[in-house]
Amino acid sequence: MTTASRSRKHLEVQRSDHTTIRYTASGPAGGPTLALIHGWACNRGDYDAVTDHLPEDYRVLAIDLAEHGASRSTRDIWTMEEFARDVAAVLEAESVDTCVVAGHSLGGAVAVEVGRLLPDTVSHVVALDALHYLSLFPAQSEEQTEAMVSMFREDFPAGVRGLVEGGSPAGTDPALKDTYFEKMVAVRQPAGLRSIEGLMRWDMDAALRETKQPITVFAIRALVTQEAIDRYGDRFDIVPIDLGSHHFPVEAPEGTANLLAGVGTE
């Protein structure tokens, strides 16, 4: 199937602390709005092909979080809540009245926080292979958090490699894993390390209690555990999928677009 590339506008919005958030907008202003948030150490370009497969009437905003992709910031706060304010600034700049917010990996946590921050704007939260990793998303003990952060602090490439391997089902092409590793290990610092710490310290259970929108998690079947389903299945809808690895939006853009469009039309 050949899909025409959408016309895109590359825009930016200014925040405090010398923060410039850059994003891509496409589609008609009056269409259903979908805000897309990338994962840790990734960027909004991961959604280019996904966007091209979405219905033409969709208004799509793909956002680079601070110090990711083309966005820049000198701030000292790297929490999921502060990343959510990056997204909120874009939604305000674009005068968005209602939208679905979808985030991949760490972006799934940010999407939850956007829903909590903007209860009257966000109609549905979507997590793309996020929220169900119990060693990353629920708040960890101080000892667990320090162990994870120390691993990245002492050998950042090894920490990144561990994340890539953990998100790769058996049979994943080693060359593909190497591609993800090279992209992620180059994340700008200190934001890369600090945002991992921010995720580890994020209190997902508290955020979920205060986020009233429906939440859908599209999880790679081989990477979702029964323990996660038992713990969170009554709070968000976990939908197992078979579209590749943890980075499935890049690997299966058409399939990802179909998932997102299905949520947007509920």
Side-chain angles (χ1 to χ4, degrees):
M1 176 180 176
T2 301
T3 302
S5 178
R6 278 177 174 241
S7 174
R8 295 177 171 84
K9 294 180 180 178
H10 298 282
L11 304 166
E12 65 180 51
V13 63
Q14 300 296 323
R15 296 196 59 218
S16 58
D17 294 322
H18 301 285
T19 298
T20 301
I21 301 301
R22 294 187 168 90
Y23 63 99
T24 302
S26 64
T33 300
L34 178 61
L36 300 176
I37 309 167
H38 59 76
W40 178 80
C42 298
N43 61 76
R44 73 186 194 268
D46 289 346
Y47 288 115
D48 284 352
V50 174
T51 299
D52 289 339
H53 284 287
L54 286 167
E56 292 183 1
D57 65 331
Y58 268 57
R59 178 191 192 190
V60 183
L61 305 172
I63 302 158
D64 275 342
L65 300 174
E67 285 296 278
H68 289 74
S71 292
R72 295 291 175 263
S73 178
T74 61
R75 72 191 187 208
D76 296 321
I77 301 173
W78 300 101
T79 61
M80 301 306 100
E81 295 90 335
E82 192 63 23
F83 279 136
R85 295 184 185 99
D86 292 339
V87 178
V90 171
L91 299 182
E92 181 180 3
E94 291 292 316
S95 301
V96 173
D97 294 324
T98 183
C99 70
V100 172
V101 177
H104 169 243
S105 195
L106 173 145
V110 177
V112 170
E113 286 295 344
V114 177
R116 176 159 71 159
L117 182 64
L118 301 174
D120 297 325
T121 301
V122 177
S123 62
H124 201 122
V125 173
V126 179
L128 304 175
D129 211 51
L131 308 186
H132 62 90
Y133 290 95
L134 300 185
S135 62
L136 278 177
F137 288 93
Q140 306 297 308
S141 69
E142 187 62 34
E143 293 77 14
Q144 290 170 313
T145 298
E146 184 55 34
M148 171 71 84
V149 174
S150 293
M151 177 180 66
F152 277 87
R153 188 182 298 120
E154 294 166 8
D155 191 340
F156 192 78
V160 175
R161 178 63 74 177
L163 289 182
V164 172
E165 292 295 335
S168 302
T172 302
D173 183 354
L176 194 60
K177 292 191 287 186
D178 288 344
T179 296
Y180 297 143
F181 169 78
E182 293 297 337
K183 177 170 71 171
M184 295 169 67
V185 79
V187 65
R188 290 172 64 86
Q189 299 293 357
L193 181 61
R194 295 290 303 279
S195 54
I196 279 287
E197 181 177 1
L199 179 60
M200 294 294 295
R201 295 186 183 282
W202 182 50
D203 191 340
M204 182 169 79
D205 292 284
L208 291 174
R209 286 193 296 270
E210 297 178 11
T211 303
K212 306 308 180 184
Q213 300 91 336
I215 301 173
T216 300
V217 175
F218 293 114
I220 294 299
R221 191 182 308 275
L223 301 177
V224 64
T225 65
Q226 187 61 46
E227 183 183 2
I229 295 172
D230 291 343
R231 179 168 176 176
Y232 288 112
D234 62 346
R235 177 57 191 91
F236 46 71
D237 187 18
I238 301 176
V239 182
I241 59 171
D242 299 294
L243 291 179
S245 78
H246 175 64
H247 294 268
F248 74 87
V250 174
E251 298 162 28
E254 183 175 7
T256 302
N258 290 338
L259 294 175
L260 294 171
V263 170
T265 56
E266 287 181 353

